[in-house]
Amino acid sequence: LRGEPGRAKGKSGRERGGQGERVRERRERMNALCGNMSNLSMRCASTERRKINTNATRLVKSNAPTAVTQGGRQRTTSRGRRTPLHIVAARVAGVEIPNAKNVEVSLTYIYGIGPTMAKKIMTNCGVENKRTKDLSEDELTKLRKEVEDGDYLIEGDLRRFTAMNIKRLIEIQCYRGKRHQMSLPVRGQKTKTNARTRKGKKKTVAGKKK
């Protein structure tokens, strides 16, 4: 059937005009809203700037000494001056021995010197058993001379001597040498349990039956 000759196929002009007005109104509202939002953001930014300016502290370069807290005590330091050096340990036979302990105990920090040998060294050099930091320069020199020039097998020499002995045992392939080679205890200890120091960390073996 043909349509009526006077009626248009699409929407009428009145309907189209009404829709266009609605779209225009919507756009105007959106533009007004965007304008309000931009004004608000500008205001917020200006207030923030004002706050930062008022709260900013002035940094003034000064040469006056400043107090530094260290371990609950205050010590004054100036910018251009270094703090005095604080000796923490004395060096004997290339090893730094602790400063706050008695000399007898401090000497045991050297590889190859135990409590008995430390007493013997102190008797030989005639130094009193006091804290290392209280030793005078002469006493420290005496102690160094006794340890380094005395007939004591310590530090590198002792390590080398032990390594050479183990190497000799491995070369002649004796029982002890083989145990050293396999990283197992040498002196007849059991190895079913324990012996972790020599054997190292446990290694899981896949499919092992109990």
Side-chain angles (χ1 to χ4, degrees), residues 69-85:
T69 312
Q70 187 178 26
R73 289 177 295 178
Q74 278 201 344
R75 96 193 138 77
T76 55
T77 60
S78 71
R79 206 172 186 81
R81 198 171 58 224
R82 285 186 180 179
T83 52
L85 286 171

Side-chain angles (χ1 to χ4, degrees), residues 175-176 179-180 182-191 194-196 198-199:
Y175 175 76
R176 284 166 64 208
R179 299 296 279 180
H180 274 298
M182 293 187 289
S183 293
L184 289 169
V186 177
R187 298 177 184 178
Q189 300 97 314
K190 65 173 182 177
T191 55
N194 303 337
R196 291 279 38 125
R198 291 292 295 146
K199 286 164 86 173

Side-chain angles (χ1 to χ4, degrees), residues 64-139:
T66 53
V68 180
T69 312
Q70 187 178 26
R73 289 177 295 178
Q74 278 201 344
R75 96 193 138 77
T76 55
T77 60
S78 71
R79 206 172 186 81
R81 198 171 58 224
R82 285 186 180 179
T83 52
L85 286 171
H86 177 61
I87 298 162
V88 178
R91 191 178 280 273
V92 178
V95 180
E96 286 182 354
I97 60 172
N99 219 7
K101 295 187 178 182
N102 286 350
V103 182
E104 205 174 283
V105 178
S106 295
L107 284 173
T108 59
Y109 279 70
I110 300 166
Y111 184 74
I113 296 179
T116 312
M117 199 181 278
K119 278 176 188 169
K120 187 183 172 185
I121 289 165
M122 294 203 51
T123 311
N124 290 352
C125 65
V127 174
E128 192 190 334
N129 186 23
K130 53 188 172 185
R131 291 187 189 275
T132 314
K133 62 184 176 185
D134 298 334
L135 287 172
S136 66
E137 197 59 46
D138 296 337
E139 287 174 330

Side-chain angles (χ1 to χ4, degrees), residues 3-4 6-12:
E4 292 176 18
R7 184 168 289 186
K9 285 184 181 178
K11 288 181 181 178
S12 66

Side-chain angles (χ1 to χ4, degrees), residues 125-207:
C125 65
V127 174
E128 192 190 334
N129 186 23
K130 53 188 172 185
R131 291 187 189 275
T132 314
K133 62 184 176 185
D134 298 334
L135 287 172
S136 66
E137 197 59 46
D138 296 337
E139 287 174 330
L140 196 58
T141 311
K142 272 186 199 173
L143 200 65
R144 278 198 194 114
K145 198 174 179 183
E146 177 63 31
V147 172
E148 289 165 18
D149 301 341
D151 195 21
Y152 305 110
L153 199 60
I154 54 167
E155 282 299 318
D157 295 336
L158 180 58
R159 289 179 208 274
R160 220 170 293 117
F161 180 71
T162 312
M164 288 297 289
N165 281 340
I166 293 167
K167 195 179 176 186
R168 181 179 53 81
L169 291 172
I170 291 168
E171 276 173 7
I172 63 175
Q173 282 292 294
C174 66
Y175 175 76
R176 284 166 64 208
K178 284 176 183 175
R179 299 296 279 180
H180 274 298
Q181 210 169 15
M182 293 187 289
S183 293
L184 289 169
V186 177
R187 298 177 184 178
Q189 300 97 314
K190 65 173 182 177
T191 55
K192 185 177 181 179
T193 58
N194 303 337
R196 291 279 38 125
T197 308
R198 291 292 295 146
K199 286 164 86 173
K201 206 175 177 183
K202 281 185 182 178
K203 300 170 194 92
T204 359
V205 182

